[in-house]
Amino acid sequence: QDRAGNKEGYVKIYSNNTDKHEVVKFLIAKEFKKEGYKIYSECRFKKEKGRADLIAIRANNGFIIEVINTEQEKSIIEKKLKYPKDFELISVKTNKFDIDKFKL
């Protein structure tokens, strides 16, 4: 559970996000779960003060997943600076997302 009360395995849904954003977030979380990762959604980081769409953790590796709808590359770079350095960042564009082609 993160500091905002997120529980492992739950995907938070925000009404201000597009439906496509939320569906893509859920589908990615499900794929990571199938591969044995613990997943957390909409996690806030204490020191860096960022919030990630998804975090996936297994053994010694972890990923932060950002689902991008209309954000520019500059925004993603700025977000990455706020995230813990020991996580790899994966950006997924909603308009190009295909669950059948998504590979971990």
Side-chain angles (χ1 to χ4, degrees), residues 14 16 42-45 49-53 66 79 83:
Y14 285 144
N16 60 320
E42 302 298 339
C43 293
R44 296 180 188 273
F45 299 105
K49 299 181 179 129
R51 183 178 76 201
D53 287 324
E66 274 302 321
K79 284 183 176 186
Y83 295 153

Side-chain angles (χ1 to χ4, degrees), residues 2 9 11 16 19 49-50 55-56 63 66 87:
D2 80 347
V11 178
N16 60 320
D19 291 347
K49 299 181 179 129
I55 296 177
F63 298 93
E66 274 302 321
F87 284 81

